Amino acid sequence: MKPDKIKELLLNVQQGKMSVDQATTILEKLPFEDLGHTVVDHHRELRTGFPEVLFGENKTASQLIAIIQEMLKHRQQILATRVDSEKAAAVKVHLPNLQYDAEARCLFLESAEKSPKNGAGKILVVTAGTSDIPVAKEALITARLAGNDVELINDVGVAGVHRLLHRLEDLRRASVVIVVAGMEGALPSVVGGLIAAPVIAVPTSVGYGVAFGGVTALLGMLSSCASGVTVVNIDNGFGAGYAAALMNRIGQKDNQ
Amino acid sequence: MKPDKIKELLLNVQQGKMSVDQATTILEKLPFEDLGHTVVDHHRELRTGFPEVLFGENKTASQLIAIIQEMLKHRQQILATRVDSEKAAAVKVHLPNLQYDAEARCLFLESAEKSPKNGAGKILVVTAGTSDIPVAKEALITARLAGNDVELINDVGVAGVHRLLHRLEDLRRASVVIVVAGMEGALPSVVGGLIAAPVIAVPTSVGYGVAFGGVTALLGMLSSCASGVTVVNIDNGFGAGYAAALMNRIGQKDNQ
Amino acid sequence: MKPDKIKELLLNVQQGKMSVDQATTILEKLPFEDLGHTVVDHHRELRTGFPEVLFGENKTASQLIAIIQEMLKHRQQILATRVDSEKAAAVKVHLPNLQYDAEARCLFLESAEKSPKNGAGKILVVTAGTSDIPVAKEALITARLAGNDVELINDVGVAGVHRLLHRLEDLRRASVVIVVAGMEGALPSVVGGLIAAPVIAVPTSVGYGVAFGGVTALLGMLSSCASGVTVVNIDNGFGAGYAAALMNRIGQKDNQ
Amino acid sequence: MKPDKIKELLLNVQQGKMSVDQATTILEKLPFEDLGHTVVDHHRELRTGFPEVLFGENKTASQLIAIIQEMLKHRQQILATRVDSEKAAAVKVHLPNLQYDAEARCLFLESAEKSPKNGAGKILVVTAGTSDIPVAKEALITARLAGNDVELINDVGVAGVHRLLHRLEDLRRASVVIVVAGMEGALPSVVGGLIAAPVIAVPTSVGYGVAFGGVTALLGMLSSCASGVTVVNIDNGFGAGYAAALMNRIGQKDNQ
Amino acid sequence: MKPDKIKELLLNVQQGKMSVDQATTILEKLPFEDLGHTVVDHHRELRTGFPEVLFGENKTASQLIAIIQEMLKHRQQILATRVDSEKAAAVKVHLPNLQYDAEARCLFLESAEKSPKNGAGKILVVTAGTSDIPVAKEALITARLAGNDVELINDVGVAGVHRLLHRLEDLRRASVVIVVAGMEGALPSVVGGLIAAPVIAVPTSVGYGVAFGGVTALLGMLSSCASGVTVVNIDNGFGAGYAAALMNRIGQKDNQ
Amino acid sequence: MKPDKIKELLLNVQQGKMSVDQATTILEKLPFEDLGHTVVDHHRELRTGFPEVLFGENKTASQLIAIIQEMLKHRQQILATRVDSEKAAAVKVHLPNLQYDAEARCLFLESAEKSPKNGAGKILVVTAGTSDIPVAKEALITARLAGNDVELINDVGVAGVHRLLHRLEDLRRASVVIVVAGMEGALPSVVGGLIAAPVIAVPTSVGYGVAFGGVTALLGMLSSCASGVTVVNIDNGFGAGYAAALMNRIGQKDNQ
Amino acid sequence: MKPDKIKELLLNVQQGKMSVDQATTILEKLPFEDLGHTVVDHHRELRTGFPEVLFGENKTASQLIAIIQEMLKHRQQILATRVDSEKAAAVKVHLPNLQYDAEARCLFLESAEKSPKNGAGKILVVTAGTSDIPVAKEALITARLAGNDVELINDVGVAGVHRLLHRLEDLRRASVVIVVAGMEGALPSVVGGLIAAPVIAVPTSVGYGVAFGGVTALLGMLSSCASGVTVVNIDNGFGAGYAAALMNRIGQKDNQ
Amino acid sequence: MKPDKIKELLLNVQQGKMSVDQATTILEKLPFEDLGHTVVDHHRELRTGFPEVLFGENKTASQLIAIIQEMLKHRQQILATRVDSEKAAAVKVHLPNLQYDAEARCLFLESAEKSPKNGAGKILVVTAGTSDIPVAKEALITARLAGNDVELINDVGVAGVHRLLHRLEDLRRASVVIVVAGMEGALPSVVGGLIAAPVIAVPTSVGYGVAFGGVTALLGMLSSCASGVTVVNIDNGFGAGYAAALMNRIGQKDNQ
């Protein structure tokens, strides 16, 4: 609560416009109102256009149904990640309006009056190989639901670098590029060296032996010789999409 | 090279306006001109306002002097990171105009006609403890030389969370927040939960025992329960500052 | 055996009050009686109010039944941890009086004449997220069966630090606080900075990628920047509940 | 701020006993006053009897002098850990009243009117071998300065288990036992099986080869087959002493 | 595109032998033609005699069928690795001409007019134990389909070194030796010390405990005290066979 | 082949007592006969009384049947380790004389005229807990089949050290002690400190969290503060039993 | 104390042959006398012929002098390991009779009337390379001072396996073989396959890169495909020598 | 020894052309002569043109001098790796003809009548950055002394992929390419995708934080998505150069 609002309230009490009990009730809640914790959450959603996101992996179908039904009272968009196809089918029996992307394992509701374009430019999601697509699509759906213009470029790994160079024009037009790669995770370094936009690197658990379920790709991305690359957890497509959306809002009018 | 430019050149040859040898010379270079590889680098610097950055750790004083003298022919800004004080002193004997920040271990030249403000808003660098300052200042100097408005908030680690909440207003006004922390590296999670701007987490090698030289902080940051946090290598203040600068340019006019 | 008791015994022998054979029998056992090893165990249980605890994971239902039936001859309380629901059902066919908490995977018998309150104050169990509840409830049941007043505060992770601050009053009233968290495991640091009671941190295997099945949370807790935090093994709710019960008895009259 | 205090203040304003500006000033600060963050720290120190503790490793002698001189304005006890002998000597030139324990690497001021006994009983610090003494003494000094009765039992490692059994009586009389061990770190398991008090295990970096600088001892302690053992970071004598002091205050009158 | 070819084209345009549009079409593609990226791939296959290789693990039977049917339009040889027997059977329903090696988990088509011998000499595949055979056969089939003369020597591990010495003559006649071993992975060191040909070491995931799924074998091979040993990823029989084929072509006429 | 035997053979040839072809046949095999490689194996078995040991994990029931039938032509004892109960049942259909120990997962044939006592004294196998029994019994059966007098002492882990001390007399009478323990693996250190016989430590994969499937126990055993302890791989009961048998034969007459 | 001895004592008391005070004094000490803990140590030394061994690394020259002077009152043999040459020189100023082996870093006193031969046969110490000699000599001196006949075979690593085979006869005559190797640590597997005596493997920190300071050699040795190999900590020559001495005493008359 | 040669010898004995003693002497040596172990080494050197290579790191200057003087009796080429400049200077005082490359840390003698060209084509050594040069030059010198035509291409890392493409023609002409890279180690993947020759990847310890002293580069190279890449130990330039030389000899006339 800002000083002027506190002062206004006190004047109202002094002038008898507000009872002491009413004012007490308001101020009692002050610590949180003033710190704005709950408010933060609301503000955040309003400003980012982000739907509430559910991590579906540890939740049962009936838990998902209950939570989503509750959420639908206040929202027009829903996103639940890491929902397998069986669980999704069970949820859709009760909530047939939800869409399901089996590759991305995302269950979501995209507002009919699609969220207004929030971002400064296009967010590009790039994969090294076809096995990286599930993670890439989780990133893509996350960023799209947050009101961004997104596009997927697939299978442009470094062992055939010409495939990547062929898409150079697209890469350079993007405002943020999410690069999804497993195995040695070298693609973000090459992309980072070619463009001037921020690169978010997502290691995937694709590979065998010393790929160590994505750890090698992660370490490679963190050790990248290209500047401007930041990294998220293994297979964390959602986190990359969310961070890209936050970045893409920088400097936007509707961000103020 | 775009088709219309190729066509124009060919018409010139057909019409005798250009000799075959001249055209050959131009087209011979085409692959790189057309891919614009070297050009990329120039474009990149022009657009980002980034000085050439030298990693000083493995270079001798005389190597640094030679490289910087060469660079000064074309540039007004210089940044060399990881330069210890002894090496810096040796370089400054020959290049007395350079500035040196001993804490950040950065040797740099900041253009007199300071680089125009490039970013959308302020970049905030936040540390968990005073031991994290060297890394934080490397980030700060990098982002500032790239033309950003930057500020440092120090010593607001999670074991005294009220210190952080006290600066909530500042945190919320920033367009990008760089969070620098060692030990358990928990600060980015708390910051990420309080603001709607992107958070770049920088683990530091501060700590002992199972802090494992920053690995524990790194793993904690990557596993963060807060969304929108991306991570760079241990002690990589430069990388965080560079990435923050790229993010802060998104949607800026001078970025087009 | 204390010198005066030995002397007394010898005088009895000398004076014919005790036969040499009787005395031999007693002294033969002396090393252990004197070291009191078996005695220790009895003393320990009597003093801590702790039920015999069975680690159920590697035991079959019939093994559990046999052991519990044996134990019930001497005790009124039973606790078997890590018992899955199928095994629990099989045991309850023969031992219908046992209670089963499916979330905590604990099978137990809580004495009708509930164990007297043993501890100095309330033990609080706090979780970072809902996925940490199973481990938290194992801790809670363990401490409660040992005669403590216990309470659970759920889902107050650091990415929404206001939720935690909202419960500050409760945290400060507890005599011991068990903090259960997965992912980056940052909650014990924040709690440890807010209160003056000992904090027992329990890392959980919640998370994916570099959460490494709880290792990252564990390392973060051990590297905590807050003082007064001690740590147990990953998912070791029982160990935390047991240690909390021991701590809560310090300085209690019934502990002497 | 409690509702009744808010109400009182508002009544004062309503009744003209307090100006609106005065009330505004008070309420403006409310969030922090009400959350009592800074207050917490004061309360904590008052209640625990803990001196401010400085981690001396990353601080220069002159930094230590400045901080300690500032602290001495308000306190009678000082503790700086991880101060090597050279640095300690430099500090003592300006602050000759400080005491220095070279083995523990602790620089401290112990109040003349020694802090009142805070704890319920004696805190025992036990080492496996003589190489563990420095860490043990850091724990011992920390707990003693916090007002506890402490004692050291040395060199009772498990490869000669009779040495430990010889001290069984002492172990059983302690209210908290800190066990300090390197190499395989087995001592806390044996101690934990012999007593009913909480055991705080401190792994040390003593050992070579796969002792891995204390990691093996740490893992062994966390995997202990004895219940009631909690663990701190490698070589973290201070943390163990601090936690032991917090535990020893449970149920104490002066803790309320 | 070489300068002389560009010049020729330009002369054709100048002399009216080629229209500007035709030349534009050709030059437009130039960057890639000139870099020869796609060309590379074709050249590579032609020169190495390598079939397109499919990594079958993440592909469904129907995906494999579709891809192979497409490939068969242009090729006479096919190789799909890591195809389990069930998937192989499903593919063979539609593509009965394919062969399947269940041990090697390879599905392949070997051209009737077998590929001409490409290599300089025989490639030998050697295993330490019978459990290493699946990986060895993947290497063997890969190298054979690339037109090499290959042979398998089985079960000559170092715990019975005489078995290996018995085959010394064969080992010395080979132009490349692939050594496949799990557990401690010592065989490549012994082989490398006996012969003058390059040794490609393939660690396998055979073993238990600290064999760590092949990591111990891998580390041992990389630390080998024998010179001339190079290493591939754990269980990467294909990679070893492929590399051996490339090596065996060095200095061959049909390689120019 | 010793020089005198070679000379004798040559004299025979010279004197016409042996044909050149016969001598050629003998000498042709010489390198191996002379190195005695195959001979070694025979000698070894004769001297150690060791049956051929099959590692059953990667073999099918029919493979086991075939190998054992072949072995039975020459031997009266058989040992196959790591054979699960289903596979064992399938084998016993064809080889009903074999015995199967389900806990040890060993399938074996123990000669009716039991192997003569080979060892100097009793081999003792000691476990820390009941979960370690399967590994202990694999060691026990291995050593017994090699002709040793063996005994099992169970459940004497360090958290109740009196249980171990109770068996001190037995421990001191053994000529070799195999100690089997999971979790923190501390038992070998305590045993090693109590006796003067060699201790073979076997870490088991018993435990959870940072027990890391036996790695923590292994590291603890290798870092043991007790001298005279040597270690084998995790869960390697067979290896411990085999090594104990070799040790127990040292200095025996039938070993010469 | 055995029952019959207790009975005898009690009869003496009953019959007035011994005063109650005398008997009390004896029985008072009983727990330890009966457990024989201190006695154990003496017995152990007497039976093994082992000198007291000092780990010199963490001790100052003056500490070593004091301890050795104390030890010399009771013993004729001394062994201090890990003593660098400077420290050794400082000690020898006061104790000129001590011998120092700079390679082994051992400071020792070997009794003039050399310890009688304790072992059944010769202990052989074998190294893979010359860099392993310091560790090998620590093992050798330890075993020799314990009264064993020892011999060193050097530089017979697996990359030149003929060098090892050349010494086959010697290997087969040994009663225990200690194999010392760094890098991939493959030598114990080869030796273990050639002989019927127990093999003690000692990994050394020789090597670079992924030799990881001996960890790779250690893992290889534990994963050895040869049976009968047991392992000690990295660079633990003393432990291997000690264990070999214990083994070599099995079945010896002077061991009873 | 082949059967026909044995037969010939026996016939000679039978026919009195050779005495029994002469024949005994020959056959006595047979095992080694026949296995030809020592001979192997000579053959190997003769065939590969490889100088004896000394690993200089653990040797003193005087040891190096003694060994090299001994070697010079038989050879015209010498190579000692990992010799620092101080040690090199000390050696050159006695052996002034040796050359020293300070960057490569190699001390060597290159035969005046330079070794004849052994390899099929040029060996190319490629570095990602200038910090990788020392390792690259160790590889280069090794391969050159083995009689190969070698060339270095420097600083063509993946963050500026156009630099690499610029040298495509050179890369494609090489018969073997050694790629030296630290940090994320991505360069071998890109090179491997562009050429049809074998690629030997050498990870270097260049980088900081999670570069983990070359481990990240190593893991990335082993997980490479490009086929035909084999890997050596971290910083093992010598191993790569040696392996390249062996490969380059395949199919050469002077290799038979």
Side-chain angles (χ1 to χ4, degrees), chain F residues 2 35-37 40-41 44 47-48 120-121 165 168-169 172 175-176 192-200 218-219 222-223 227-233 236 238-239 242-243 246-252, chain G residues 2 35-37 40-41 44 47-48 120-121 165 168-169 172 175-176 192-200 218-219 222-223 227-233 236 238-239 242-243 246-252:
Chain F
K2 291 290 152 13
L35 284 173
H37 297 297
V40 172
D41 294 341
R44 202 179 199 201
R47 291 194 310 209
T48 62
L165 297 175
L168 194 53
E169 213 55 33
R172 292 204 172 136
S175 62
V176 183
L194 293 171
I195 67 172
V199 171
I200 302 173
L218 172 70
L219 297 177
L222 287 165
S223 302
S227 304
V229 176
T230 59
V231 186
V232 297
N233 197 358
N236 189 6
F238 161 69
Y242 191 104
L246 293 186
M247 291 176 195
N248 204 24
R249 292 177 57 259
I250 293 175
Q252 293 308 99
Chain G
K2 289 292 150 9
L35 284 173
H37 297 298
V40 171
D41 293 341
R44 202 177 199 204
R47 291 194 311 209
T48 61
L165 296 175
L168 193 52
E169 214 55 32
R172 291 204 173 136
S175 62
V176 184
L194 291 172
I195 67 171
V199 171
I200 301 173
L218 172 69
L219 297 177
L222 288 164
S223 302
S227 305
V229 176
T230 59
V231 186
V232 297
N233 197 358
N236 188 6
F238 161 69
Y242 191 105
L246 294 186
M247 291 176 196
N248 204 24
R249 292 178 56 258
I250 294 175
Q252 293 308 100

Side-chain angles (χ1 to χ4, degrees), chain E residues 10-67:
Chain E
L10 289 168
L11 286 170
N12 285 342
V13 170
Q14 195 186 37
Q15 296 158 11
K17 292 180 185 165
M18 185 185 274
S19 75
V20 163
D21 280 354
Q22 273 179 301
T24 301
T25 305
I26 290 167
L27 288 170
E28 228 184 315
K29 291 176 190 153
L30 192 77
F32 292 106
E33 291 293 338
D34 196 45
L35 283 172
H37 298 298
T38 310
V39 176
V40 171
D41 293 342
H42 288 299
H43 274 191
R44 202 177 198 202
E45 289 162 39
L46 290 173
R47 291 194 312 208
T48 61
F50 245 81
E52 277 291 315
V53 181
L54 295 165
F55 190 75
E57 198 144 285
N58 302 321
K59 297 193 178 63
T60 63
S62 51
Q63 285 177 318
L64 283 175
I65 293 164
I67 298 169

Side-chain angles (χ1 to χ4, degrees), chain B residues 158-159 182-186 208 210-211 216, chain C residues 185-193 199 201 217-231, chain D residues 232-233 236 238-239:
Chain B
V158 300
M183 301 174 88
E184 79 272 60
Y208 64 93
V210 296
T216 291
Chain C
L187 188 54
S189 295
V190 179
V191 172
V199 170
L218 172 69
L219 297 177
M221 288 165 174
L222 287 165
S223 302
S224 175
C225 53
S227 304
V229 176
T230 59
V231 186
Chain D
V232 297
N233 197 358
N236 189 5
F238 161 69

